[in-house]
């Protein structure tokens, strides 16, 4: 390209869309590069066909052996997940990791289940609470105004509950619980008074599809969006070390191209952004861009994850809601039970906690209850480059080493017991663990689930690898997600997380992105960038 953009955004999912919206609305000439194609709202979102299980099995046997094992994968959605043969990665023997990815304009924002709880200081200041790891270099009060902006823009639905462990949001409207979910709330709160059964907080479904933040950005006239642009590395100035732009491959032609920009936002998803930072090694940044910290690629996590499900008992059949749009992925969420372990005292054999969520009769005659727990961030869980193997665009693949630790196993064992107690108290019985039920039935593979607990990757909440730190050397990024080694490079997707919390991270990723982008705009306007 023969021009220099004010900002380049790599990736067009949740973080990339919100970055583009914030930057363009502030008047910055912004280029968004997306590795996948643009989608046709009519042709690419057809109603589900009747032979969806067969389509899933064929995908698993042919081009998508990793993607088809994901709990959210469906045959009619297979085009929203990557081709594993074009996008390989490696793992150590005996440490499986299942990297579920989407490359298209809108990214995984298009398959997001829209569950949107806020983080609290119990997560952001967890080290001060229990002594493990590091605090984030910011507090809830620093994020709250940006949560407000994202929720207002996207239309969050829920109810104000006044719980410090799960701060209230800005709600456009409440959500309803089914009669069975209301009965569950009565039973749980009478039996365990410290536990609260809430309406799940879910972003409003947008029937027209696509990414609302990207649509807002396009309306400004300041957005250039290039699909099928696979970014390979960030280019930097040899003297200053700052970013000058990016190098990418045009998937259609294919040719290697360059784009110049004064700011570079990495929003490609946590592990992909870290891979790009590592692959941007040069004379000035020999360990990768951000590598001087010594922690680039380390402390990656995925949420601890398990799900029970089963057919709806006859006594609950009256609770069934009408069928929902098959692309309304948030419709399955009914109730949410925020963390109740280790809030005020360390009363468990593990640190941190987990939340429970589920639905009874919401999108069909079945129920499900899941647990998402905090996986501790440990330096040995990391991503490096495997330069002996490359993807379809000649980029060294990620080598992912990530496994559960002792604390993780103790936490998820407790969550498993509580899920069993909850479903029995509600009269639902003990349906099979999801991995024992649908995934094994459809794919016939046993290595990816262990006693109902999914291996890392299946939660699709991969985080860390380029964590924030209060000072250079403590992290790859500063508290505004700027790279300590190159202040005009910002990483605002899940890579910037210091710890995972237990909450779905997408809302927090978007709030962090707005905060970082607004600060970058202010810096841009007062500097010589």
């Amino acid at each position: 390209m023969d021009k220099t953009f004010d900002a380049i955004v790599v990736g067009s999912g949740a973080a990339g869309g919100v970055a583009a919206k914030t930057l363009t609305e502030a008047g910055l000439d912004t280029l968004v590069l997306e590795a996948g194609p643009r989608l046709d709202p009519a042709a690419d979102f057809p109603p589900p066909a009747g032979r969806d299980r067969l389509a899933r099995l064929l995908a698993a046997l042919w081009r998508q052996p990793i993607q088809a094992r994901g709990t959210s994968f469906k045959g009619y959605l297979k085009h929203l997940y990557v081709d594993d043969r074009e996008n390989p990665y490696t793992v150590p023997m005996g440490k499986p990791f299942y990297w579920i990815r989407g490359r298209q304009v809108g990214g995984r924002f298009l398959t997001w289940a829209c569950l949107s709880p806020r983080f609290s200081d119990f997560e952001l200041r967890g080290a001060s609470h229990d002594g493990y790891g590091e605090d984030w270099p910011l507090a809830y009060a620093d994020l709250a105004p940006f949560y407000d902006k994202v929720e207002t823009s996207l239309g969050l639905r829920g109810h104000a509950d006044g719980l410090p462990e799960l701060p209230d949001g800005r709600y456009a409207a409440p959500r309803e619980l089914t009669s069975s979910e209301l009965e569950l709330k009565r039973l749980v709160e009478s039996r365990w008074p410290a536990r609260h059964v809430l309406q799940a907080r879910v972003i409003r479904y947008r029937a027209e599809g696509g990414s609302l933040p990207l649509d807002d950005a396009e309306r400004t006239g300041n957005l250039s969006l290039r699909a099928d642009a696979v970014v390979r590395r960030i280019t930097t100035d040899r003297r200053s070390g700052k970013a000058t732009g990016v190098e990418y491959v045009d998937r259609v032609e294919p040719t290697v191209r360059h784009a110049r920009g004064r700011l570079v936002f990495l929003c490609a998803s946590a592990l992909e952004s870290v891979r790009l930072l590592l692959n941007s090694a040069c004379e000035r940044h020999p360990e990768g861009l951000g590598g001087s910290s010594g922690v680039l690629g380390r402390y990656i996590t995925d949420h601890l994850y398990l799900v029970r499900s089963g057919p709806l008992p006859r006594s609950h059949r009256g609770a069934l809601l009408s069928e929902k749009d098959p692309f309304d992925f948030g419709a399955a969420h009914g109730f949410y039970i925020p963390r109740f372990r280790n809030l005020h005292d360390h009363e468990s054999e593990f640190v941190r906690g987990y939340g429970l969520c589920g639905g009874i009769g919401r999108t069909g005659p079945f129920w499900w209850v899941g647990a998402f727990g905090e996986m501790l961030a440990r330096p040995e869980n990391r991503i490096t480059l495997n330069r002996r193997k490359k993807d379809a665009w000649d980029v060294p693949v990620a080598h992912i080493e990530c496994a559960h630790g002792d604390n993780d196993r103790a936490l998820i064992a407790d969550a498993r017991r509580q899920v069993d107690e909850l479903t029995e108290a509600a009269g639902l019985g003990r349906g099979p663990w999801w991995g024992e039920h649908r995934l094994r039935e459809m794919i016939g593979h046993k290595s990816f689930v262990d006693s109902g607990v999914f291996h890392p990757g299946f939660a699709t909440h991969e985080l860390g690898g380029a964590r924030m730190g209060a000072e250079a050397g403590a992290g790859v990024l500063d508290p505004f997600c700027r790279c300590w080694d190159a202040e005009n490079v910002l990483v605002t997707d899940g890579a910037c997380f210091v710890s995972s919390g237990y909450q779905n991270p997408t809302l927090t990723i978007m709030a962090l992105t707005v905060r970082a982008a607004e600060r970058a705009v202010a810096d841009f306007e007062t500097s010589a960038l």
Side-chain angles (χ1 to χ4, degrees):
M1 296 183 180
D2 58 359
K3 66 181 290 185
T4 299
F5 290 89
D6 294 332
I8 297 172
V9 179
V10 180
S12 64
V18 169
K21 170 182 168 67
T22 307
L23 295 168
T24 56
E25 288 181 345
L28 271 63
D29 186 13
T30 302
L31 170 67
V32 172
L33 297 174
E34 167 55 51
R38 277 185 179 268
L39 299 177
D40 183 319
D44 291 321
F45 295 89
R51 300 172 68 85
D52 193 70
R53 289 192 178 192
L54 177 61
R56 180 174 184 165
L57 178 60
L58 292 175
L61 293 173
W62 184 234
R63 306 290 305 191
Q64 296 173 298
I66 300 297
Q67 306 307 307
R69 294 175 187 169
T71 56
S72 59
F73 186 95
K74 295 178 176 61
Y76 68 94
L77 299 176
K78 64 182 180 181
H79 59 293
L80 301 182
Y81 295 83
V82 300
D83 182 321
D84 289 314
R85 297 195 181 196
E86 290 185 338
N87 297 275
Y89 63 96
T90 59
V91 296
M93 184 70 70
K95 290 186 177 181
F97 187 97
Y98 294 85
W99 191 6
I100 310 300
R101 292 181 276 178
R103 281 187 164 184
Q104 58 273 328
V105 173
R108 290 191 308 195
F109 193 80
L110 304 185
T111 53
W112 175 38
C114 297
L115 187 63
S116 299
R118 295 188 178 196
F119 274 38
S120 74
D121 280 331
F122 285 104
E123 291 73 49
L124 300 173
R125 317 298 292 176
S128 293
H129 185 64
D130 58 35
Y132 180 85
E134 304 290 338
D135 285 335
W136 290 48
L138 50 83
Y140 173 72
D142 299 310
L143 266 184
F146 304 99
Y147 278 132
D148 290 349
K149 291 183 179 183
V150 174
E151 292 164 349
T152 301
S153 172
L154 295 179
L156 181 67
R157 298 179 182 272
H159 181 270
D161 299 290
L163 301 175
E165 64 268 29
L166 194 73
D168 291 325
R170 290 288 183 92
Y171 304 114
R175 297 183 77 242
E176 62 176 323
L177 296 177
T178 65
S179 58
S180 290
E181 290 165 351
L182 288 169
E183 178 62 15
L184 175 73
K185 176 180 175 68
R186 186 190 67 78
L187 287 169
V188 169
E189 293 180 349
S190 62
R191 182 169 177 175
W192 298 287
R195 303 183 192 184
H196 306 278
V197 180
L198 315 178
Q199 296 176 7
R201 301 170 183 183
V202 175
I203 293 295
R204 176 183 64 86
Y205 173 59
R206 187 171 180 249
E208 56 268 38
S211 167
L212 178 59
L214 278 179
D215 290 349
D216 290 342
E218 289 197 297
R219 279 191 285 270
T220 67
N222 295 322
L223 178 69
S224 298
L225 174 60
R226 176 155 295 196
D228 296 307
V230 183
V231 174
R232 301 204 301 192
R233 66 187 183 95
I234 300 170
T235 56
T236 52
D237 181 83
R238 185 169 57 183
R239 290 174 297 175
S240 69
K242 290 184 178 181
T244 58
V246 301
E247 174 188 286
Y248 68 96
V249 178
D250 187 314
R251 294 177 68 241
V252 177
E253 295 198 353
T255 53
V256 177
R257 300 177 182 270
H258 295 81
R260 296 192 299 273
R262 298 179 178 88
L263 293 168
V264 175
F265 275 72
L266 276 186
C267 303
S269 84
L271 302 185
E272 188 62 44
S273 289
V274 174
R275 182 168 78 135
L276 291 174
L277 291 171
L278 290 167
N279 200 47
S280 300
C282 59
E283 183 179 353
R284 181 63 185 262
H285 304 290
E287 303 300 322
L289 189 53
S292 69
S293 63
V295 297
L296 179 61
R298 295 187 179 274
Y299 297 100
I300 64 171
T301 69
D302 183 53
H303 280 140
L304 307 168
Y305 176 38
L306 56 80
V307 183
R308 268 205 191 280
S309 62
L312 208 61
R314 288 186 179 275
S315 59
H316 291 267
R317 291 297 172 97
L320 188 64
L321 292 180
S322 60
E323 198 71 27
K324 299 292 184 180
D325 187 308
F327 295 97
D328 181 3
F329 304 123
H333 287 287
F335 63 88
Y336 191 82
I337 302 176
R339 173 181 168 182
F340 50 85
R341 293 294 194 220
N342 304 319
L343 284 176
H344 306 292
D345 298 300
H346 184 196
E347 83 279 4
S348 305
E349 59 180 312
F350 53 85
V351 297
R352 309 298 161 90
Y354 55 87
L356 305 178
C357 56
I360 307 174
R362 300 198 66 83
T363 56
F366 62 87
W367 60 268
W368 68 278
V369 179
F372 287 89
E374 177 165 350
M375 180 180 180
L376 293 186
R378 296 181 288 128
E380 60 268 32
N381 283 338
R382 64 183 303 198
I383 171 176
T384 54
L385 293 183
N386 182 347
R387 297 191 179 275
R388 294 172 295 179
K389 187 176 181 67
K390 296 187 177 181
D391 67 12
W393 302 278
D394 204 36
V395 183
V397 305
H399 183 72
I400 303 169
E401 184 170 359
C402 186
H404 296 152
D406 291 340
N407 192 83
D408 304 327
R409 286 185 282 269
L411 185 152
I412 206 67
D414 186 76
R416 180 185 171 107
R417 289 190 293 270
Q418 298 311 310
V419 168
D420 282 342
E421 287 191 26
L422 183 145
T423 57
E424 288 187 353
L428 300 172
R430 289 195 182 188
W433 294 109
W434 189 275
E436 297 168 354
H437 180 39
R438 295 180 60 108
L439 295 183
R440 288 184 182 174
E441 176 187 340
M442 291 180 183
I443 301 165
H445 195 286
K446 298 182 179 180
S447 67
F448 56 88
V449 72
D450 179 18
S451 302
V453 181
F454 290 101
H455 284 302
F458 272 120
T460 326
H461 294 168
E462 65 275 7
L463 302 165
R467 54 169 31 192
M468 290 185 281
E471 56 188 22
V476 175
L477 310 172
D478 75 5
F480 286 92
C481 300
R482 298 172 296 201
C483 185
W484 285 108
D485 290 356
E487 63 183 6
N488 66 335
V489 174
L490 297 95
V491 185
T492 68
D493 56 27
C496 72
F497 278 43
V498 178
S499 57
S500 72
Y502 67 90
Q503 300 94 326
N504 181 298
T506 308
L507 179 68
T508 299
I509 287 170
M510 291 189 285
L512 287 165
T513 299
V514 175
R515 181 174 182 266
E518 289 190 1
R519 179 59 181 264
V521 168
D523 292 343
F524 184 90
E525 293 173 345
T526 59
S527 72
L529 283 173

